Amino acid sequence: MSRFQVKKVAVLGAGVMGAQIAAHLVNVKVPVVLFDLPAKDGPKNGIVAKAVEALKKQKPPPLGVADDAVLIQQANYEEDLALLGECDLVIEAIAERMDWKLDLYKKIAAHIAPHAIVASNTSGLSITKLSEALPESIKPRFCGIHFFNPPRYMFLVELIATPTTQPAILDDLESFVTSGLGKGVVRAKDTPNFIANRVGISGMLGTMREVEKFSLSYDVVDDLTGKKLGRASSGTFRTADVVGLDTMAHVIKTLQDTLSEETDPFYPSFATPAVLTKLLAKGYLGQKSKAGFYKKVGRDILRFEAESEEYVPGGQKADEVYGRMLRKPAGERLQLLRNATGAQGQFLWSILRNGFHYAAVHLATIADTARDVDQAMRWGFGMKQGPFELWQEAGWLQVAQWVQQDIAAGKALSKAPLPDWVFKGPVADAGGVHTEQGSWNPTSGKFEPRRVLPVYERQLFPELLRGEAGPRFQAAGTTLHEDRNIRLWTLDDQVLIASLKTKMHTISPEVCEGLQQAVELAEKDYQGLVVWSGDEPFSAGADLESTLPAFIAVGVAAIEDAEGFMQQTMLRLRYASVPVVSAIRGLALGGGCELALYSARRVAAMESYMGLVEVGVGLVPGAGGLAYIARRAAENAATSTDKDLLKFLTEGFTAAAMAKVGTSALESRKLGYLLDSDIIVPHKDELLYVAVQQAKSLYDAGYRPPHRRQFPVAGRSGKATIQGQLVNMRDGGFISGHDFRIASMIANVVTGGDVDANTLVSEEYLMTLERRAFCELVQHPKTQERILGMLSTGKPVRN
């Protein structure tokens, strides 16, 4: 696949978005220069330096590893414009002021490389108007690019062409943003606020109007409009706080300034909500100012009360009857809500109806196809389904009739009727806008397939919309074995794939049986084995819940047998005669982390969170995690002039004893759960492709498993050193007595137990120590409290 080569990127503007875009470029190993105005006092790069320093402290962290902030090259417009000539992509991300952006373009135009793409990061300004300030030579290489905040975590990026943008430029940029930055790209028309913010912010404004109409509190609304509705867990008002109320107000003003009743029949509903005006007047900007619709005081979450303009206790929940309604099939769900007599049910139907209405009326003006709208709302606003998907699932014509009836009765936000294509023609005949032929384009009057670019060949199982045709991994390829725990299958008869099917992809004895069977099949007939389960998480760890009945019936012997079998499985993976590659996405915790550690190679999506977290349930890692820490310490010491094993052991011990989890694939590498030879993949949907290629390349290179060999351990003297530190922590009140017990057991295993320093041991020997510690702890009342607490609440118990 040929790619637009991006060797360096310039980001103009070190504000919140510019700095975080630069941070994400560093995460994916793209060299970046961050520009801003020269500081009036002190060093000329003072503004940029302050922004870069702030990146290290922000939550959630924009950088995968905070120390990588030094990789951002700092520059200013007075001294460093020549650096623009070294950049293949220039992203302008200054404040949302048309005049400021145009002035900057005039300043930089002469310094931009003749091949470079220039893109403006804006949430809604006209890209065509922005292009008018550029010379004719740059206009064909100019477009809009809209990252959602925060750029590292938000999947959506909108690309917007002008009439003079060369199509090949947009294709090149889409390929880079997709594969290089790991984003989902939607192409939007050059209309105010583009697609996601146009539909999403109008939906939030409509929701706020309905909240006033039905007199509901903000916490109840957030409970109704969060996960229960298939949307982001933050709901409506918490989302506004996270986005920033000033940012939201700016986007609303863009709608107000650039639209009218003639161009948008919903325009009267775009008035700035009175409560938003009140909050802004008080300087309450949301999360960034620690107060908005909500305010945290100690451990309490307060909500703003518009009437009194004071914060009052929050935490109210919606009536459970509506929670039950929202779990019904789509058609039944919408009918129940439409016929509801309670305020909460009427409110839910109203906001869903308004969403269907707005998306249908504006589809032709804001997007090419209905796919663009649904993907934008999924990726930009955290919806499980876009508006057209839900509408289609619930019964296209029936829902259309309900919406039109409400419009006629004056219940909707606008009197504009639904477009004719909703009721007659191809969409009505197909029962919706997404079909096997493609998604509806009201301008061309056709169902259009997805855009074909070479970069998408790497996405073997892309995220599909309801009703859309495409490969689904659950039934793809050739199945060699399948049961309720695991599926063994192949796409190409060269690499075997093992996909876990358990809840949260936990590892049970049955899963271990399946993995051992997978190794046998791969060694017999295939070039390698890839462990990939299709969606998140990679694995949340060992299935403790399934072993409890055996523990109760048989006793600790059942636990010891299960742990022993899991350890054998890990060694079987490590010493397989063909390469085993773990394709990691999301959580890889406890046994899931150990499964990855005992693979020949790991391929991890950027947002992978790895760690040995058994301490949280009062246990020690029991499937080889501690043996791995001891072995890696010995291997690292062997390649160093410093042979003090304890120095190489400390970080691994600390990570396990404190249940540290890497908050990105980059940090997981720093903790030692990923190696320098492992691959980090920016785009989640490229993970399987890369993992399969890695297995093939290892095989082609003549892969041989590592030799089984003994290695030195730190011994009782190393354990004594660690133990002394643990005593200080216990006596100082930093850890509990039970934490001390667990950490002491971890120290005993990773140092090799009661042996002399530098004694040679095997992995099996250390696994025996692990297993004994695990079985001793599982019988301890305080560990049992932690296990039951985690199973019942999902939260760790500290005792």
Side-chain angles (χ1 to χ4, degrees):
M1 182 187 73
S2 62
R3 295 193 192 185
F4 171 59
Q5 294 296 312
V6 179
K7 297 175 184 176
K8 184 181 284 190
V9 175
V11 177
L12 312 182
V16 173
M17 283 301 291
Q20 292 201 45
I21 291 169
H24 187 61
L25 287 161
V26 166
N27 290 338
V28 296
K29 299 293 182 282
V30 177
V32 59
V33 188
L34 181 59
F35 282 83
D36 211 300
L37 294 167
K40 294 179 180 178
D41 300 309
K44 287 294 179 72
N45 288 334
I47 294 174
V48 176
K50 184 177 179 181
V52 170
E53 190 62 27
L55 290 172
K56 302 177 186 178
K57 305 169 187 175
Q58 291 176 17
K59 299 293 180 184
L63 290 158
V65 176
D67 292 345
D68 283 351
V70 299
L71 300 177
I72 299 174
Q73 186 176 352
Q74 300 176 15
N76 65 81
Y77 303 129
E78 184 177 299
E79 300 173 319
D80 303 312
L81 287 178
L83 291 173
L84 291 173
E86 303 173 8
C87 298
D88 308 293
L89 172 62
V90 177
I91 300 174
E92 171 271 302
I94 68 170
E96 294 281 86
R97 284 273 301 267
M98 178 75 72
D99 53 342
W100 290 359
K101 289 177 183 282
L102 296 178
D103 286 345
L104 180 60
Y105 294 172
K106 292 173 184 175
K107 182 182 295 185
I108 66 171
H111 302 276
I112 293 171
H115 70 285
I117 295 176
V118 182
S120 174
N121 182 72
T122 172
S123 59
L125 296 179
S126 169
I127 304 302
T128 301
K129 286 185 178 179
L130 287 172
S131 72
E132 292 171 0
L134 293 167
E136 294 300 317
S137 60
I138 295 179
K139 284 182 179 180
R141 295 179 277 124
F142 178 77
C143 64
I145 184 169
H146 180 205
F147 288 86
F148 273 63
N149 188 26
R152 171 185 162 185
Y153 301 96
M154 295 302 291
F155 191 56
L156 176 64
V157 170
E158 293 174 315
L159 296 184
I160 310 96
T162 74
T164 56
T165 306
Q166 287 182 355
I169 291 295
L170 224 57
D171 289 349
D172 285 342
L173 188 56
E174 180 168 346
S175 297
F176 170 69
V177 170
T178 299
S179 194
L181 303 186
K183 300 301 178 185
V185 172
V186 167
R187 295 194 188 184
K189 292 185 178 181
D190 189 12
T191 54
N193 290 344
F194 313 128
I195 298 175
N197 273 346
R198 180 74 174 273
V199 176
I201 297 299
S202 69
M204 291 179 77
L205 286 170
T207 297
M208 290 180 182
R209 286 175 66 94
E210 301 293 351
V211 167
E212 293 177 2
K213 177 179 175 182
F214 291 103
S215 301
L216 300 175
S217 66
Y218 304 136
D219 42 8
V220 167
V221 170
D222 280 351
D223 189 39
L224 288 169
T225 60
K227 284 188 175 180
K228 290 178 180 176
L229 198 60
R231 298 183 178 181
S233 58
S234 51
T236 300
F237 294 99
R238 262 182 231 285
T239 297
D241 275 356
V242 171
V243 169
L245 304 190
D246 53 341
T247 302
M248 185 177 176
H250 173 80
V251 177
I252 293 170
K253 191 172 188 307
T254 301
L255 291 174
Q256 294 167 347
D257 292 347
T258 54
L259 295 170
S260 65
E261 289 196 54
E262 289 71 33
T263 57
D264 192 320
F266 294 78
Y267 187 80
S269 66
F270 294 161
T272 304
V275 64
L276 183 59
T277 302
K278 288 179 182 179
L279 288 167
L280 291 172
K282 291 176 176 289
Y284 298 160
L285 308 181
Q287 187 170 281
K288 68 180 76 173
S289 66
K290 304 188 185 305
F293 286 103
Y294 297 95
K295 180 180 181 181
K296 188 173 183 180
V297 178
R299 294 187 176 182
D300 297 325
I301 303 294
L302 308 181
R303 63 173 169 82
F304 188 73
E305 188 176 66
E307 296 79 11
S308 66
E309 299 188 17
E310 299 289 340
Y311 285 95
V312 299
Q316 292 185 39
K317 298 294 183 182
D319 190 326
E320 178 52 32
V321 67
Y322 299 108
R324 291 195 294 271
M325 283 184 188
L326 291 172
R327 291 192 288 271
K328 299 286 187 181
E332 184 180 353
R333 182 193 325 157
L334 294 192
Q335 185 171 24
L336 286 169
L337 293 175
R338 186 169 189 265
N339 295 333
T341 56
Q344 294 178 25
Q346 293 177 35
F347 162 77
L348 284 169
W349 164 250
S350 296
I351 64 171
L352 290 171
R353 175 203 63 216
N354 296 342
F356 300 148
H357 187 193
Y358 194 88
V361 167
H362 288 292
L363 173 59
T365 57
I366 64 175
D368 288 332
T369 71
R371 180 190 308 108
D372 299 320
V373 172
D374 280 347
Q375 285 180 329
M377 299 312 294
R378 276 192 181 203
W379 298 343
F381 278 79
M383 290 186 175
K384 188 175 179 181
Q385 291 179 301
F388 289 119
E389 286 184 280
L390 175 58
W391 182 348
Q392 181 166 329
E393 182 186 1
W396 183 265
L397 287 176
Q398 176 62 78
V399 174
Q401 289 167 7
W402 288 339
V403 173
Q404 192 60 50
Q405 287 168 10
D406 279 12
I407 295 170
K411 297 179 180 179
L413 293 176
S414 167
K415 296 179 181 179
L418 291 173
D420 287 343
W421 56 261
V422 169
F423 294 101
K424 56 188 178 183
V427 171
D429 294 341
V433 292
H434 304 303
T435 68
E436 293 186 358
Q437 293 74 43
S439 294
W440 180 248
N441 182 331
T443 303
S444 67
K446 297 177 181 177
F447 294 108
E448 296 186 356
R450 290 185 174 220
R451 195 162 39 255
V452 176
L453 291 175
V455 69
Y456 292 121
E457 294 173 7
R458 297 167 59 88
Q459 297 183 16
L460 302 180
F461 299 99
E463 184 179 326
L464 297 175
L465 302 174
R466 174 171 287 274
E468 200 179 11
R472 286 169 169 79
F473 74 89
Q474 293 90 341
T478 302
T479 299
L480 284 304
H481 167 81
E482 186 168 14
D483 56 38
R484 64 189 183 89
N485 299 290
I486 197 168
R487 179 185 178 221
L488 309 180
W489 56 292
T490 181
L491 278 171
D492 56 8
D493 294 325
Q494 296 180 59
V495 173
L496 186 66
I497 302 168
S499 296
L500 278 58
K501 297 171 58 181
T502 50
K503 183 180 179 181
M504 297 290 285
H505 302 143
T506 52
I507 302 171
S508 61
E510 293 78 15
V511 167
C512 288
E513 287 180 11
L515 289 171
Q516 293 210 32
Q517 183 181 350
V519 172
E520 292 174 10
L521 279 171
E523 289 179 327
K524 180 174 179 288
D525 295 320
Y526 296 92
Q527 296 179 10
L529 169 64
V530 169
V531 182
W532 176 84
S533 299
D535 51 11
E536 296 187 28
F538 175 72
S539 173
D543 186 358
L544 288 175
E545 194 168 3
S546 71
T547 60
L548 286 180
F551 174 56
I552 294 169
V554 180
V556 74
I559 297 292
E560 186 165 8
D561 288 345
E563 283 301 299
F565 188 50
M566 196 167 174
Q567 290 175 339
Q568 293 169 20
T569 302
M570 299 304 162
L571 292 174
R572 187 74 179 90
L573 294 169
R574 173 166 164 76
Y575 294 108
S577 61
V578 294
V580 177
V581 178
S582 282
I584 304 158
R585 174 183 163 198
L587 300 177
L589 303 179
C593 182
E594 289 164 316
L595 171 57
L597 295 177
Y598 278 81
S599 302
R601 179 70 52 87
R602 286 143 294 276
V603 175
M606 178 64 69
E607 297 307 323
S608 296
Y609 310 97
M610 303 180 67
L612 299 171
V613 297
E614 287 83 353
V615 170
V617 288
L619 295 168
V620 300
L626 300 183
Y628 169 84
I629 288 170
R631 174 172 59 78
R632 283 297 299 163
E635 290 168 350
N636 289 334
T639 60
S640 172
T641 56
D642 188 343
K643 301 304 178 183
D644 182 0
L645 260 177
L646 199 56
K647 291 182 179 179
F648 296 94
L649 191 62
T650 301
E651 188 170 2
F653 163 78
T654 303
M658 296 182 65
K660 284 187 178 180
V661 175
T663 56
S664 67
L666 297 172
E667 191 176 20
S668 296
R669 175 178 276 164
K670 191 175 180 182
L671 291 174
Y673 298 134
L674 295 175
L675 306 181
D676 289 341
S677 56
D678 294 329
I679 308 298
I680 296 177
V681 180
H683 200 293
K684 61 183 179 63
D685 292 337
E686 294 184 4
L687 194 61
L688 179 60
Y689 172 87
V690 176
V692 168
Q693 298 307 311
Q694 285 293 305
K696 290 179 179 178
S697 66
L698 286 170
Y699 178 86
D700 290 341
Y703 177 80
R704 291 289 184 270
H707 287 291
R708 291 178 181 265
R709 64 175 66 193
Q710 294 184 324
F711 47 87
V713 289
R716 64 177 71 88
S717 60
K719 177 187 174 183
T721 301
I722 296 174
Q723 196 78 17
Q725 296 169 349
L726 292 174
V727 168
N728 291 336
M729 292 180 71
R730 180 197 61 193
D731 294 348
F734 296 103
I735 58 175
S736 70
H738 197 51
D739 288 329
F740 175 79
R741 179 191 300 272
I742 299 166
S744 298
M745 288 181 166
I746 292 173
N748 184 64
V749 177
V750 298
T751 58
D754 190 18
V755 298
D756 293 334
N758 294 313
T759 296
L760 297 178
V761 302
S762 67
E763 288 170 298
E764 288 85 352
Y765 166 80
L766 291 175
M767 285 181 169
T768 299
L769 297 182
E770 264 187 11
R771 196 164 62 250
R772 288 174 183 168
F774 190 97
C775 291
E776 180 180 334
L777 283 168
V778 84
Q779 299 174 82
H780 198 287
K782 288 189 179 292
T783 286
Q784 292 173 3
E785 284 179 20
R786 291 191 183 188
I787 292 173
L788 293 173
M790 180 64 76
L791 291 176
S792 60
T793 68
K795 297 179 181 179
V797 173
R798 279 290 167 230
N799 55 7

